[in-house]
Amino acid sequence: MLKLAVIPGGICGGCDVALASLGEKLAEILKYYEIVYWPIAVDKKLSNLMNMNHIDVLIYMGAITTEEDAKLAKELSAKARVRVALGTCSVYGGIPGLNALYKPADIIKTISLLVDTKLESSALGLPQPVQHMAYTDVVEPEVLAPGCPPTDKVLDQLTEILLNYAKSGKLEARTMLLGDSESLCNNCPRNPKTTKIAMPGIKRLYEVKLDSNKCFLEQGVLCMGPATRAICTHPCIKFNYPCIGCGGPVEWGSDSGLSMISTLASVLLVDDEKKLLEPGLARELNKIRDVLGTFYKYTLRKSKAYALKNKAGGEG
Amino acid sequence: MCHCGVNIAGTVDVKKVVEEVKKLPDVVYAADYVYLCSQPGQELIINAVKEHKLDGVVVAACTPSLHYETFAKAVEKAGLNRYVYEMVSIREFDSWVHADRALATEKAIKIIATAVAKLRGDKPYERARLDVIRKALVVGGGIAGITAALSLAKMGIPVILVEKYATIGGKMAMLHETFPTLDCAQCILTPLMAEVARHPLVKIYTLAEVDSVEGHVGKFKVKIKIRPRGVRVEDCRLCGFCERVCPISVSSEFDRGLSKRKAIYIPFAQAVPSAYVVDFEHCNRCGLCVKVCPTKAVNLEEKERVIEEEVGAIIVATGYELYPLEKIPEYSYGPENDVIDSLQFERILSVQGPTRGEVKRPSDGKPVKRVVFIQCVGSRDVNHLPYCSKICCMYTAKHALLFLENVPDGEAYVFYIDVRAAGKGFEEFVKRAQEHGAVYIKGRVSRIYKDKLTGDVVVEGFDLLENREIVIRADLAVLAPGIVSALDKRLAEMLKVPVDQFMFAAEIHPKLRPVEVASAGIFIAGCVQGPKDIPDSIAQASAAAAKAAELLIQGYVEKEPIVAEVDRDKCNGCRACVTVCPYGAIEIVEGKARVNEIVCEGCGACTATCPVGAIQLRNYREEQALEMVRAVMRVR
Amino acid sequence: MSWRPKIIAFFCRWCAGAAAEVAGVSRLRYDPSVVPIIVPCTGRISPSMIVEAFLNGADGVLIGGCHTPNDCHYVAGNFKAFKRVYLLKKLLQEVGVEPERLRLEWISATEAPKLVKVVNSFVDEIRKLGPLGGKHA
Amino acid sequence: MARLVLSPRELREYIREHTGREVTACMHCGTCSAVCPVVNFMDMHPAALVRAVQRSAIDLGNLKVIWACISCMTCVDKCPRDVAPGLVIETLRQLALRNGIEPRTYSQMPIDETTPSILLVLYSRKGTG
């Protein structure tokens, strides 16, 4: 039996649920693996895990938000033969990764204002916060399985990898980014009929009656599909909700936010440029209130924008 | 690296630059020379390439606009492809604009570093040359289309002229006389119609529409759908027996509903082709016409057909329609209310028209004594058409003048916002109308209605200069509707003609290139580009013909190979590049983008747009661009 | 003033690039801190190119293109640049980079004096802002 | 009566701020005056008012048109250049009231046999607040 440890970092629980929902496939995996740690599923103590000499497969879920997270991620990963970053937080920093723009102390200060309680972390015995990171900022995992939460497509691929590893003791590649290496547009169920995307402006969801057969961008709704890795079978889009980019960029290491900014800028009001001129276009672009939150909802921590922030802050 | 005498070497330490450039990655050989563009200078490059087996060359000298070609030739002579050579300007961008030797030297190194970085990603390409089919298609047989077709034919270029209706001639054929000279429209148009019909190089298809267009400049494959005429043109003798026996009577398009015609008819006497036509929509297939036709020219069984033509260039001259007056209900438009549009008034004035030139009320035939003209109906109004339709001021003056000449005891009132009479003889013409007694009222009409008791047309408005409401009881009201483009969306998309929000074709440059659109090989003439009078349409049609001939007579197009190319494995078919391409050079084929190399101009907008980096401008790939940026920063 | 800013200028080949040539021919003088990179059209400039410049140590990025609405040699590449730069400036603001470090100017082929003025004023502005990240490199 | 004088620029900006419209875009076509149902009861017809506003040649204290307008907004609908005289009048009315200019009351309105009923109703509403 191989040893499988599932380590949760700063996590919302979605990844846990997704992994637990594997059901029969999980049973299949358990023919080869013994779960040595997974707080929500098995009653194994962390101290046991820390004492182990090696772990075969380590699945890390969630962002790194506390010193405890960072320590676990580093120490345990060193013992693991195969490291899996599961979920967008783990791979790209995810939504908690947006916090990376701020110092932990400032975040605590802001929360204090909101909850009207003095949050002296040490005094309350709270974990010491660190600058928010992705798991991939600490180690270089062999398997990257993004998704918020990880999708069936990604989990199926992960299952396959785990089973193959159990049987052959080998991985197919040094680094594997799960999902399909194309963007969501490739197999978009909307199957657009027109040849152009002349985006008619920027609309919020409540402002339009969305035609479920037409491209979101053509209807003025921001959709991150063009630059987002196809890790799913378009559940959001099928439910008439645009892609918000949890799959991350198509290629590991590239920057989907900048690409999407460029794509969007290109197609926005493309037929009315000479009529609206700069002021008219600016007025429309001002409807995007939060550029980082819009284009880097999930991937800020691993982006060039974040690198730029460090550069500007004199850190990094 | 060139000294350009002292032009560069006077400010830049050339020796130091050469030393530093030698340290750049992949630089095998670097040298300087006093005048690189001279014969020995060029030899230096050629020998270096051969001796050191170089696979790329950077020339740092004056500007590429001066000597790019010189060194490109030298590079080719050395056996290299010209696209693995880069030239950067040190003279214009550096030595001539800076005085500090150290700083200028450093900047020169940086500039050369960008070129070296770019060159590392450059690949050799060959120029494409494409033969052009020496034949043109003209869409629309109005005065613009006829002019363009004739002009091309006279230059020896075969032309296909496609017209939607049963006759060519367009709107001009409906006109009575033309401003400002009052030539009879028919007298000047019909000879041209006959000439174009007679010309051996012009093939006219009437009742025809473009069904599909494929291909690109030099080689368009065009499918033309031809509706059945029901009458063999060559056999029709215009005897009119068929018309007399036809039991069906419908309103005449040519007279804009002011008269009736039969289901077998000729649009007007001088129609081209000169033959009757069956209106299959209204024909009840009774067969009487077939029986009476002495030459057996009528065939009610004729079917629609589609023909295919290949042409090298296309001129779009689809003309205009009038703004639909139903959209302005307060003006009670309709002949039954004696409120008519300007083209209907042209028909009334015409001796061939429904009233044989007598100005009578359409509703009851009563002679018209008092007529009110209203300008800017729909035009210059953000609620309808924000633009000025340009010709209404002039034809309204013409209408008023012709009416007053026709009915000497008549009264003509013209409601106007401004009178726009910019054109040779135009202002004088308006004055002439006014001298004839046309009363111009500055102000707008709020409503028009038919007084059912008296039969009068009541026009209510406001006279801005008299500062009071004004009500005119008239016999007839003539509206001057705005001009709208007759170009339909499907045709525009097929031809990749960019259009503005009013479906007027957008020329590629409003000043320098007024008859070309962004899609190469497509030209525009007449009202498809915007409202125009006859001389303007003819001038533009002649220009479009000249531009098309430029292309067709040369016989080929040569293309720089520096165009975009698609990595089909990466492409996600999102269509962003198709949207952003100003030339319609990209299309989606089997779910992925494909670049038409002949049409692409190499601007690179698609490369910056692509969300997944699948489409790249050759030799200006994203990675090259990033490397250029990094190279500058690497120089210390 | 020992510190000199590092500035990259993307000039389009047809308008700003041509103006830079005219500036040369006219022997106008401007600050040498700006290194020009000629692009076919401002529509070719991707946000990555600009961000890459900052990440690799540029203190400012200047973009010179053709005047709107009709000067662009490639129909409307300049509008694409405008929209991208506009969004990018918002991004810069959010990550704490002064948006003034990125400037887009329309400079026609005849406006060599404007080019000189723009370059010099941009260099002045960047000098005032100091090095990106506050450290003198 | 109070007198309120604004420079043409101030007035134009005030109107832009309150209506989003540009009074200087008016091309003096007279559509507003033509469609106004009560134009005969105004001291200055809407088109003339817009012209006067462009030059700020109005004395709000003495301007009767702003109390005669029935706010039917037909001119706003029909204005071919989105100048919207009805909104301009509305703005002037508010400007007058905010500056302590007395509204013309019911009794001051010209009322006779020919006064349209809608105007009577409106006069009474405005007059009684």
Side-chain angles (χ1 to χ4, degrees):
Chain A
M1 288 295 257
L2 299 172
K3 288 178 190 160
L4 173 69
V6 182
I7 318 290
I11 192 171
C12 71
C15 295
D16 271 330
V17 175
L19 202 55
S21 309
L22 270 177
E24 282 177 22
K25 284 186 198 120
L26 193 58
E28 180 73 16
I29 293 171
L30 293 181
K31 285 184 188 165
Y32 303 92
Y33 290 90
E34 179 202 353
I35 300 179
V36 294
Y37 188 72
W38 185 5
I40 71 142
V42 294
D43 188 15
K44 300 275 172 71
K45 299 292 176 249
L46 185 60
S47 52
N48 290 352
L49 185 65
M50 298 302 273
N51 289 333
M52 281 181 191
N53 282 333
H54 89 270
I55 306 163
D56 290 289
V57 175
L58 178 143
I59 297 179
Y60 194 92
M61 309 181 297
I64 292 169
T65 61
T66 63
E67 273 184 358
E68 180 79 4
D69 291 343
K71 184 169 158 261
L72 280 183
K74 263 181 230 163
E75 286 186 15
L76 292 173
S77 297
K79 297 181 187 182
R81 296 192 173 146
V82 177
R83 280 84 48 99
V84 179
L86 183 68
T88 302
C89 296
S90 169
V91 182
Y92 294 110
I95 289 178
L98 288 168
N99 271 336
L101 285 180
Y102 311 99
K103 290 201 172 67
D106 293 340
I107 296 169
I108 296 288
K109 222 181 275 169
T110 311
I111 297 171
S112 306
L113 288 173
L114 293 172
V115 297
D116 203 26
T117 312
K118 208 171 177 213
L119 279 180
E120 286 296 339
S121 49
S122 52
L124 283 171
L126 287 177
Q128 205 57 40
V130 291
Q131 194 77 39
H132 286 49
M133 284 184 287
Y135 178 57
T136 49
D137 288 318
V138 182
V139 289
E140 282 179 32
E142 282 73 18
V143 182
L144 304 161
C148 184
T151 59
D152 291 350
K153 196 187 235 176
V154 163
L155 290 173
D156 285 353
Q157 289 176 350
L158 180 61
T159 309
E160 191 126 322
I161 289 170
L162 291 182
L163 293 177
N164 279 342
Y165 181 71
K167 289 170 194 163
S168 69
K170 275 190 291 209
L171 288 176
E172 271 176 39
R174 168 64 188 85
T175 310
M176 284 184 277
L177 178 58
L178 305 189
D180 294 342
S181 58
E182 58 195 21
S183 87
L184 273 189
C185 289
N186 204 27
N187 290 309
C188 183
R190 305 205 155 206
N191 192 18
K193 297 283 179 293
T194 55
T195 50
K196 279 176 78 177
I197 322 167
M199 202 174 169
I202 293 171
K203 305 259 168 56
R204 311 221 170 248
L205 281 173
Y206 65 81
E207 287 178 297
V208 264
K209 191 168 174 348
L210 280 172
D211 180 340
S212 58
N213 289 315
K214 272 170 82 180
C215 171
F216 286 107
L217 292 170
E218 272 175 49
Q219 304 181 67
V221 171
L222 292 174
C223 174
M224 300 298 140
T228 301
R229 188 173 173 87
I231 55 154
C232 62
T233 46
H234 307 84
C236 308
I237 287 164
K238 284 176 192 154
F239 278 95
N240 220 0
Y241 192 79
C243 175
I244 48 175
C246 81
V250 170
E251 271 179 76
W252 178 241
S254 65
D255 193 310
S256 56
L258 288 180
S259 307
M260 203 53 220
I261 285 175
S262 193
T263 306
L264 178 92
S266 294
V267 302
L268 178 68
L269 292 165
V270 69
D271 293 333
D272 300 314
E273 289 166 346
K274 297 199 177 189
K275 188 177 64 159
L276 294 171
L277 303 176
E278 289 95 322
L281 295 171
R283 212 174 300 136
E284 204 60 33
L285 288 167
N286 280 340
K287 290 189 185 165
I288 300 176
R289 291 280 170 195
D290 174 9
V291 173
L292 291 178
T294 306
F295 297 101
Y296 289 107
K297 195 168 278 165
Y298 292 96
T299 58
L300 180 70
R301 187 57 180 77
K302 301 295 281 184
S303 69
K304 285 187 180 177
Y306 178 72
L308 198 53
K309 142 97 190 154
N310 279 341
K311 182 110 194 150
E315 297 160 24
Chain B
M1 174 89 194
C2 178
H3 293 232
C4 198
V6 293
N7 280 309
I8 292 174
T11 322
V12 172
D13 182 347
V14 175
K15 293 288 174 209
K16 185 175 177 209
V17 171
V18 169
E19 283 316 303
E20 289 298 320
V21 165
K22 275 183 182 160
K23 295 180 198 159
L24 291 172
D26 289 347
V27 173
V28 177
Y29 175 83
D32 58 296
Y33 190 72
V34 60
Y35 284 113
L36 209 53
C37 56
S38 67
Q39 198 56 38
Q42 292 183 43
E43 289 298 326
L44 185 78
I45 295 173
I46 295 168
N47 291 337
V49 169
K50 287 183 177 159
E51 194 178 320
H52 298 272
K53 300 201 166 46
L54 305 179
D55 54 9
V57 175
V58 172
V59 174
C62 56
T63 158
S65 28
L66 204 63
H67 275 308
Y68 177 87
E69 206 51 43
T70 313
F71 296 114
K73 293 256 162 63
V75 166
E76 281 177 341
K77 220 168 161 186
L80 282 182
N81 182 282
R82 63 158 60 205
Y83 299 104
V84 290
Y85 134 72
E86 292 291 333
M87 179 173 179
V88 284
S89 169
I90 302 300
R91 194 178 70 178
E92 279 77 0
F93 287 178
D94 190 13
S95 68
W96 272 355
V97 287
H98 306 311
D100 184 310
R101 194 168 174 84
L103 294 180
T105 304
E106 184 190 322
K107 181 171 166 179
I109 298 166
K110 286 180 176 174
I111 292 176
I112 295 170
T114 66
V116 171
K118 179 173 185 295
L119 181 69
R120 292 165 72 201
D122 282 348
K123 292 194 186 107
Y125 293 101
E126 295 303 328
R127 277 192 203 182
R129 190 185 243 223
L130 180 95
D131 287 334
V132 165
I133 295 171
R134 227 179 112 179
K135 199 180 206 182
L137 170 74
V138 176
V139 186
I143 182 62
I146 291 173
T147 307
L150 259 182
S151 173
L152 284 169
K154 285 177 182 171
M155 287 186 263
I157 296 164
V159 183
I160 314 285
L161 180 60
V162 170
E163 167 58 47
K164 188 157 52 160
Y165 295 110
T167 174
I168 58 169
K171 294 280 184 292
M172 185 176 168
M174 293 180 181
L175 305 185
H176 173 44
E177 286 174 354
T178 55
F179 63 80
T181 45
L182 298 185
D183 322 75
C184 148
Q186 291 268 342
C187 313
I188 54 177
L189 175 67
T190 50
L192 285 176
M193 288 165 61
E195 189 183 350
V196 76
R198 259 199 327 266
H199 202 290
L201 287 178
V202 182
K203 179 102 191 83
I204 300 176
Y205 294 113
T206 49
L207 297 164
E209 276 169 73
V210 174
D211 198 40
S212 71
V213 181
E214 278 171 33
H216 45 74
V217 55
K219 189 176 185 176
F220 293 102
K221 268 193 189 153
V222 187
K223 283 197 176 132
I224 301 164
K225 190 166 74 184
I226 304 172
R227 296 193 300 281
R229 172 175 273 268
V231 177
R232 256 191 320 282
V233 172
E234 54 279 21
D235 292 338
C236 178
R237 299 280 174 274
L238 302 179
C239 65
F241 291 166
C242 52
E243 187 178 19
R244 263 170 260 158
V245 298
C246 179
I248 311 281
S249 180
V250 292
S251 78
S252 152
E253 297 88 355
F254 190 72
D255 280 339
R256 289 188 71 83
L258 295 179
S259 71
K260 297 282 186 192
R261 62 156 172 83
K262 294 296 183 62
I264 185 163
Y265 68 105
I266 183 161
F268 58 100
Q270 298 85 350
V272 168
S274 187
Y276 274 76
V277 54
V278 178
D279 173 0
F280 281 98
E281 198 192 320
H282 294 103
C283 170
N284 64 358
R285 313 284 196 285
C286 70
L288 285 174
C289 50
V290 181
K291 281 185 204 132
V292 300
C293 180
T295 58
K296 302 282 171 254
V298 183
N299 171 15
L300 297 180
E301 304 305 316
E302 196 184 335
K303 293 276 170 293
E304 180 177 290
R305 63 203 170 101
V306 175
I307 56 155
E308 211 175 292
E309 291 278 359
E310 286 202 343
V311 296
I314 300 178
I315 295 179
V316 186
T318 45
Y320 73 94
E321 292 294 342
L322 295 182
Y323 186 68
L325 292 169
E326 295 74 31
K327 291 193 182 173
I328 311 178
E330 60 268 33
Y331 285 179
S332 314
Y333 166 72
E336 67 286 358
N337 292 335
D338 295 320
V339 181
I340 60 173
D341 66 37
S342 47
L343 276 177
Q344 285 171 326
F345 195 63
E346 293 279 354
R347 296 313 303 147
I348 286 178
L349 290 171
S350 170
V351 201
Q352 284 191 329
T355 57
R356 305 282 156 220
E358 279 179 60
V359 186
K360 292 193 220 162
R361 286 211 307 216
S363 64
D364 57 5
K366 183 188 159 217
V368 172
K369 292 290 171 212
R370 185 182 290 155
V371 55
V372 178
F373 296 95
I374 293 120
Q375 294 189 177
C376 297
V377 178
S379 307
R380 304 186 71 196
D381 186 337
V382 291
N383 304 308
H384 301 284
L385 308 171
Y387 53 85
C388 166
S389 292
K390 188 168 178 177
I391 62 172
C392 328
C393 285
M394 289 311 296
Y395 72 59
T396 299
K398 177 188 79 178
H399 286 169
L401 178 63
L402 292 175
F403 170 75
L404 291 170
E405 283 179 347
N406 192 312
V407 185
D409 60 340
E411 294 170 38
Y413 297 91
V414 180
F415 279 89
Y416 73 100
I417 300 176
D418 300 291
V419 175
R420 297 184 163 177
K424 192 161 80 174
F426 285 15
E427 177 60 22
E428 297 90 319
F429 186 77
V430 174
K431 179 164 171 268
R432 188 170 149 200
Q434 289 169 332
E435 282 168 352
H436 262 75
V439 176
Y440 273 66
I441 299 166
K442 173 148 174 80
R444 295 297 284 159
V445 168
S446 56
R447 65 170 179 156
I448 305 173
Y449 61 94
K450 178 94 175 161
D451 185 335
K452 291 279 188 292
L453 289 176
T454 60
D456 291 344
V457 179
V458 185
V459 180
E460 294 182 356
F462 194 86
D463 184 332
L464 279 176
L465 301 179
E466 273 194 62
N467 210 351
R468 63 180 180 83
E469 275 189 308
I470 181 165
V471 179
I472 300 177
R473 301 186 78 87
D475 300 311
L476 185 67
V478 180
L479 310 179
I483 278 181
V484 293
S485 173
L487 180 62
D488 73 82
K489 199 165 178 243
R490 201 178 91 87
L491 184 64
E493 276 176 10
M494 276 192 301
L495 295 171
K496 296 193 185 119
V497 173
V499 289
D500 65 17
Q501 70 210 86
F502 310 110
M503 288 307 291
F504 286 117
E507 61 276 31
I508 188 163
H509 193 284
K511 304 249 166 0
L512 299 178
R513 300 170 75 182
V515 300
E516 293 158 83
V517 298
S519 319
I522 311 272
F523 306 89
I524 49 174
C527 286
V528 67
Q529 184 255 357
K532 257 178 215 70
D533 62 13
I534 294 166
D536 281 1
S537 290
I538 289 177
Q540 207 191 18
S542 310
K547 278 285 161 195
E550 222 174 69
L551 169 78
L552 298 176
I553 289 172
Q554 176 168 270
Y556 63 88
V557 257
E558 201 172 54
K559 277 298 296 182
E560 279 288 309
I562 302 307
V563 296
E565 61 187 6
V566 179
D567 179 345
R568 287 179 69 85
D569 287 341
K570 274 189 178 178
C571 174
N572 61 20
C574 75
R575 304 168 294 143
C577 53
V578 181
T579 312
V580 83
C581 179
Y583 305 100
I586 310 172
E587 53 189 344
I588 300 288
V589 179
E590 288 158 14
K592 309 263 177 173
R594 189 168 75 189
V595 178
N596 185 329
E597 293 180 16
I598 299 296
V599 182
C600 175
E601 294 277 335
C603 70
C606 51
T607 304
T609 298
C610 182
V612 293
I615 191 163
Q616 295 286 352
L617 178 60
R618 285 175 178 171
N619 288 359
Y620 221 112
R621 309 175 65 83
E622 185 69 5
E623 193 45 43
Q624 283 178 286
L626 299 181
E627 272 303 319
M628 286 167 80
V629 171
R630 292 180 198 126
V632 175
M633 295 304 159
R634 250 184 251 124
V635 175
R636 289 285 151 196
Chain C
M1 284 305 262
S2 62
W3 176 71
R4 279 195 310 111
K6 294 204 251 333
I7 294 169
I8 285 196
F10 294 108
F11 290 149
C12 88
R13 184 187 299 162
W14 307 95
C15 295
E21 282 187 18
V22 176
V25 174
S26 322
R27 311 293 203 279
L28 303 176
R29 290 268 183 268
Y30 56 84
D31 195 295
S33 312
V34 174
V35 178
I37 292 182
I38 300 294
V39 290
C41 172
T42 47
R44 169 65 189 85
I45 301 168
S46 65
S48 313
M49 286 158 71
I50 299 164
V51 170
E52 195 71 18
F54 285 122
L55 285 179
N56 282 280
D59 302 304
V61 174
L62 175 66
I63 297 173
C66 309
H67 281 276
T68 56
N70 288 322
D71 277 10
C72 178
H73 184 83
Y74 297 109
V75 184
N78 46 3
F79 281 108
K80 311 291 177 291
F82 170 77
K83 290 186 280 182
R84 290 182 196 138
V85 166
Y86 196 83
L87 277 182
L88 206 51
K89 275 170 168 278
K90 283 167 157 255
L91 183 143
L92 294 182
Q93 178 103 48
E94 284 187 45
V95 298
V97 173
E98 299 86 347
E100 295 78 25
R101 291 187 187 272
L102 172 58
R103 192 193 280 190
L104 174 67
E105 290 275 358
W106 306 138
I107 302 165
S108 81
T110 56
E111 292 176 324
K114 178 173 177 183
L115 179 111
V116 170
K117 218 167 85 189
V118 164
V119 167
N120 286 338
S121 79
F122 189 61
V123 174
D124 281 349
E125 179 147 20
I126 301 298
R127 263 188 224 280
K128 265 181 224 140
L129 289 172
L132 180 61
K135 278 183 299 193
H136 282 246
Chain D
M1 269 236 191
R3 197 181 144 81
L4 183 73
V5 183
L6 291 170
S7 77
R9 181 181 295 273
E10 284 168 332
L11 189 57
R12 188 177 141 211
E13 270 165 20
Y14 187 86
I15 289 169
R16 187 197 299 132
E17 209 173 290
H18 287 76
T19 66
R21 313 298 175 109
E22 291 292 352
V23 283
T24 41
C26 173
M27 61 173 167
H28 315 294
C29 67
T31 302
C32 46
S33 301
V35 298
C36 180
V38 294
V39 69
N40 287 346
F41 296 83
M42 290 174 166
D43 56 339
M44 196 185 251
H45 62 86
L49 177 73
V50 172
R51 153 42 100 229
V53 166
Q54 287 179 341
R55 303 203 301 114
S56 195
I58 45 168
D59 175 4
L60 278 178
N62 280 320
L63 198 61
K64 291 179 199 125
V65 49
I66 55 176
W67 311 113
C69 163
I70 58 169
S71 304
C72 70
M73 301 293 162
T74 308
C75 52
V76 177
D77 258 13
K78 296 291 176 191
C79 177
R81 287 208 165 173
D82 275 347
V83 176
L87 296 181
V88 173
I89 292 174
E90 192 75 50
T91 309
L92 292 179
R93 194 150 52 216
Q94 288 175 23
L95 187 64
L97 291 171
R98 282 181 209 285
N99 284 279
I101 291 168
E102 288 276 312
R104 287 178 74 82
T105 61
Y106 199 36
S107 56
Q108 288 169 295
M109 300 296 177
I111 296 171
D112 60 26
E113 278 306 297
T114 60
T115 312
S117 50
I118 186 165
L119 201 49
L120 289 177
V121 172
L122 207 93
Y123 281 174
S124 66
R125 293 242 171 91
K126 275 194 202 131
T128 55

